[in-house]
């Protein structure tokens, strides 16, 4: 799978600068969408004698998941037609999010139930902090929350009215405030069996 961009909604959160000129978020997102279309088309059907990319290579566009408007600006009809997977990253950030399903609800709404072509979903980052950033009142440990993730994926997929299932997820363990395993041994034990990408 080829993920184009990391998190467009994060990368362009404050707009971008091009040749010293500020470009607002919506414009930056629209340009990202045009770039995705161009790249996939070029790779699938390159000019001259260049060999096209293998048919087994699948595409998605990386999104943090926190900014709903960015999905409509980046996952345009042209992009939706070309990608094989939708994408978001999800985090159980605070005690007020009582479950992974609650934490994922907004992320899932960005790609489900909008009349888009049905495509599977890949979560390229998920995580949960050791303690909340604003309050320490967790009722569960980090490891316990991690253990609940596979069942949450099962539940949200079971509720889907189509085939837009979450097909894969990767725990993000390189961001100390948000997700690093601590104690590491407990976190690793909590990971258990994570969902893996199906081979269709």
């Amino acid at each position: 799978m080829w993920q184009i961009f990391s998190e467009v909604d994060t990368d362009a959160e404050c707009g971008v600068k091009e040749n010293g000129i500020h470009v607002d978020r919506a414009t930056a997102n629209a340009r990202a969408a045009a770039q995705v279309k161009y790249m996939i088309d070029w790779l699938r059907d390159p000019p001259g004698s260049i060999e096209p990319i293998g048919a087994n290579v699948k595409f998605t566009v990386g999104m943090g998941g926190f900014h709903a408007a960015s999905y409509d600006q980046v996952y345009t009809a042209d992009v939706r037609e070309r990608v094989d997977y939708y994408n978001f990253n999800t985090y159980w950030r605070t005690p007020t999010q009582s479950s992974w399903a609650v934490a994922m609800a907004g992320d899932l709404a960005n790609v489900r139930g909008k009349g888009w072509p049905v495509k599977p979903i890949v979560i390229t980052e998920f995580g949960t902090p050791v303690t909340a950033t604003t309050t320490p009142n967790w009722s569960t440990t980090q490891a316990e929350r991690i253990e609940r993730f596979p069942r949450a994926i099962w539940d949200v997929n079971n509720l889907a009215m189509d085939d837009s299932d979450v097909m894969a997820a990767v725990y993000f363990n390189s961001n100390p405030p948000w997700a690093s395993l601590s104690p590491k041994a407990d976190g690793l034990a909590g990971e258990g069996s994570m969902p893996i990408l199906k081979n269709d």
Side-chain angles (χ1 to χ4, degrees):
M1 184 188 72
W2 189 330
Q3 178 177 318
I4 302 176
F5 302 121
S6 174
E7 296 184 352
V8 179
D9 44 351
T10 302
D11 299 337
E13 183 174 3
C14 300
V16 299
K17 272 194 173 182
E18 295 182 3
N19 298 318
I21 299 172
H22 181 262
V23 176
D24 66 25
R25 180 185 222 167
T27 303
N29 285 341
R31 292 185 183 186
Q35 291 164 355
V36 169
K37 177 180 179 294
Y38 176 85
M39 284 189 282
I40 295 177
D41 285 349
W42 195 99
L43 289 163
R44 293 290 191 209
D45 186 21
S49 59
I50 300 172
E51 190 76 17
I53 199 166
N56 62 322
V57 177
K58 308 299 183 183
F59 292 97
T60 190
V61 181
M63 300 291 284
F66 65 93
H67 189 246
S70 287
Y71 270 88
D72 296 325
Q73 294 162 1
V74 175
Y75 275 94
T76 61
D78 282 339
V79 171
R80 298 195 300 269
E81 179 183 337
R82 286 163 173 79
V83 297
D84 303 283
Y85 304 100
Y86 300 132
N87 171 270
F88 61 78
N89 300 329
T90 198
Y91 286 85
W92 186 346
R93 291 181 169 88
T94 69
T96 56
Q97 294 171 312
S98 56
S99 68
W100 280 110
V102 170
M104 282 190 285
D107 304 320
L108 288 164
N110 289 327
V111 295
R112 282 182 175 172
K114 301 174 71 169
W116 288 6
V118 174
K119 295 183 187 272
I121 300 163
V122 175
I123 302 174
T124 44
E125 287 180 24
F126 77 96
T128 183
V130 179
T131 58
T133 56
T134 55
T135 173
N137 297 323
W138 287 105
S139 61
T140 55
T141 67
Q142 182 192 52
E144 287 171 332
R145 294 191 296 279
I146 294 169
E147 286 175 350
R148 297 179 185 183
F149 186 81
R151 178 53 194 252
I153 294 297
W154 172 273
D155 289 342
V156 298
N157 284 347
N158 193 44
L159 290 172
M161 300 303 291
D162 50 37
D163 292 323
S164 60
D165 285 345
V166 177
M167 304 292 284
V170 180
Y171 192 83
F172 192 63
N173 183 37
S174 60
N175 187 326
W178 291 113
S180 289
L181 303 178
S182 181
K184 186 174 182 179
D186 291 349
L188 290 174
E191 283 184 347
S193 176
M194 290 295 148
I196 59 172
L197 192 65
K198 293 180 182 177
N199 184 1
D200 294 326

